């Protein structure tokens, strides 16, 4: 049953300031490429997903850290403008706010470098300070741009309070075995699925095999994102391919965050996983037609109008 009340989503994760340079082509080692434009925008996987969830209609709480620098207030104000509650974002004067440098070429492909700063100091104590909102949430969203021990702890806390955990295992890294049993939906791409499962992925059958390996580890459901091919949902009910929506890409930065946020919000609303993945595909499609990891994230009205048009 779909809830008519705004779902509650908590996000424990990274908060960055992103520096974008648009250019004709991405540089190779030793090459200097003149950019066409420059913008500075709030980002970070955790922050992107929180803003996306809030724009899609969820009551959203962000748990994380910013530094003691000039970027901290800007990212906090950006959260507030987008309706994200920042009561559980801590200002850490001993380090800088996380930063990311992003090059985007004329085809929408990107190259990213990150200096974590305060993100590397997000701790289990930060999770404990937010346990009231995490435990009352419908879904907890996690990524891997903060210390892994904090990710595992947050997942366990949510699981103990019967809160569904959506883990986006990016950037790709090995996960402790303990965490798999706490995850309601794991959302790797092909590379991440291959790394986590140990299955070499060369075909659709390999993708399904990798998903089953992850489920054998304890994950309830696996959604493997396939870029322009959409996503593959593997659950106890079966295997389902949900195709992508065809759009002209402008900037793929943040597409995965739009996907994960829409998936989490739909789950929090009580939708089926198949419908949730379809909505997630739509959110990602809208995002890649717009520039900016956060600026391009869709609002709920954008999603509804897009789905009405494709019907």
């Amino acid at each position: 049953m779909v809830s008519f009340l705004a779902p509650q989503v908590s996000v424990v994760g990274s908060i960055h300031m992103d520096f974008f340079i648009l250019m004709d082509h991405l540089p190779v080692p030793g090459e200097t490429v003149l950019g066409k434009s420059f913008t500075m925008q709030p980002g970070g996987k955790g922050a992107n997903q929180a803003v996306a969830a809030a724009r899609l209609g969820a009551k959203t709480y962000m748990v994380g850290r910013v530094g003691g620098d000039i970027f901290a207030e800007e990212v906090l104000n950006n959260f507030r403008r987008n309706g994200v509650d920042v009561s559980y974002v801590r200002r850490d004067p001993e380090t800088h706010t996380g930063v990311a440098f992003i090059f985007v070429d004329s085809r929408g492909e990107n190259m990213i470098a990150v200096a974590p700063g305060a993100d590397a100091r997000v701790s289990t104590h930060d999770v404990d300070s937010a346990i009231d909102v995490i435990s009352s949430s419908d879904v907890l969203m996690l990524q891997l741009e903060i210390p892994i021990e904090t990710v595992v702890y947050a997942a366990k806390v949510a699981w103990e309070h019967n809160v569904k955990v959506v883990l986006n295992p990016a950037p790709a890294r090995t996960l402790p075995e303990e965490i798999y049993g706490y995850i309601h939906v794991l959302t790797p791409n092909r590379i991440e699925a291959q790394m986590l499962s140990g299955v070499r992925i060369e075909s659709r059958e390999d993708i399904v095999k990798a998903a089953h390996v992850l489920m054998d580890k304890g994950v309830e459901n696996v959604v493997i994102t396939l870029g322009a091919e959409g996503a593959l949902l593997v659950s106890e009910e079966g295997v389902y391919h949900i195709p992508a929506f065809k759009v002209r890409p402008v900037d793929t930065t943040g597409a995965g965050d739009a996907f994960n946020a829409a998936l989490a919000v739909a789950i929090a609303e009580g939708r089926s996983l198949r419908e949730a993945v379809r909505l997630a595909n739509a959110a990602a499609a809208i995002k890649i037609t717009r520039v900016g990891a956060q600026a391009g994230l869709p609002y709920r009205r954008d999603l509804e109008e897009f789905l009405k048009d494709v019907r």
Side-chain angles (χ1 to χ4, degrees):
M1 179 178 180
V2 177
S3 172
F4 291 98
L5 298 175
Q8 181 170 313
V9 173
S10 292
V11 182
V12 178
S14 55
I15 303 168
H16 295 163
M17 182 61 79
D18 289 345
F19 299 85
F20 285 88
I21 300 179
L22 300 183
M23 53 188 60
D24 287 327
H25 67 274
L26 300 177
V28 297
E31 179 185 17
T32 298
V33 177
L34 293 179
K36 296 168 128 183
S37 66
F38 166 77
T39 55
M40 184 178 73
Q41 301 172 6
K45 288 186 179 298
N48 293 346
Q49 292 178 17
V51 168
R55 288 188 176 189
L56 292 172
K59 182 171 179 57
T60 307
Y61 293 88
M62 183 71 210
V63 182
R65 293 196 188 197
V66 294
D69 52 33
I70 60 174
F71 301 123
E73 197 58 37
E74 177 57 32
V75 296
L76 290 173
N77 285 335
N78 179 71
F79 277 134
R80 297 182 185 109
R81 286 192 296 269
N82 282 284
V84 178
D85 191 304
V86 293
S87 302
Y88 303 94
V89 177
R90 177 179 174 182
R91 296 191 70 151
D92 190 335
E94 297 182 5
T95 188
H96 63 84
T97 301
V99 293
F101 295 87
I102 304 169
F103 299 156
V104 182
D105 71 12
S106 58
R107 297 173 301 171
E109 295 299 321
N110 63 58
M111 180 183 294
I112 305 173
V114 176
D119 292 329
R121 295 165 64 91
V122 179
S123 70
T124 58
H125 297 296
D126 295 312
V127 175
D128 285 337
S129 73
I131 198 166
D132 55 337
V133 295
I134 292 174
S135 62
S136 63
S137 294
D138 298 294
V139 173
L140 171 67
M141 300 181 69
L142 296 167
Q143 326 75 35
L144 302 179
E145 288 184 332
I146 60 174
I148 192 63
E149 59 268 21
T150 305
V151 176
V152 174
Y153 184 74
K156 182 179 181 181
V157 166
W159 177 79
E160 289 174 341
H161 289 87
N162 297 312
V163 176
K164 293 178 177 177
V165 175
V166 174
L167 173 60
N168 176 210
R173 62 182 296 180
T174 302
L175 293 175
E177 291 298 312
E178 175 190 357
I179 197 171
Y180 291 105
Y182 305 140
I183 301 170
H184 179 62
V185 183
L186 185 69
T187 62
N189 60 22
R190 282 187 182 92
I191 294 172
E192 293 152 0
Q194 180 170 289
M195 172 180 286
L196 295 174
S197 68
V199 175
R200 183 176 178 83
I201 294 178
E202 297 179 337
S203 66
R204 181 67 57 82
E205 291 73 21
D206 294 334
I207 296 173
V208 175
K209 182 179 179 181
H212 282 300
V213 169
L214 295 171
M215 291 174 68
D216 288 342
K217 289 175 178 283
V219 177
E220 289 184 51
N221 308 279
V222 179
V223 176
I224 299 182
T225 56
L226 306 174
E229 298 174 41
L232 198 72
L233 164 63
V234 183
S235 69
E236 288 187 354
E237 296 180 0
V239 177
Y240 307 95
H241 175 240
I242 295 89
F245 295 90
K246 303 300 182 184
V247 295
R248 182 181 178 85
V250 174
D251 177 14
T252 58
T253 311
D257 298 325
F259 180 96
N260 279 274
L263 181 74
V265 172
I267 290 170
E269 290 176 339
R271 298 179 187 270
S272 70
L273 279 178
R274 292 172 71 179
E275 177 65 9
V277 175
R278 181 174 180 270
L279 293 175
N281 279 345
I286 296 169
K287 165 62 208 66
I288 66 175
T289 65
R290 302 171 176 179
V291 175
Q294 281 189 27
L297 293 170
Y299 289 87
R300 187 63 175 238
R301 62 181 178 272
D302 299 325
L303 189 61
E304 292 171 352
E305 289 172 4
F306 179 86
L307 290 170
K308 187 185 300 181
D309 288 342
V310 297
R311 278 200 296 269

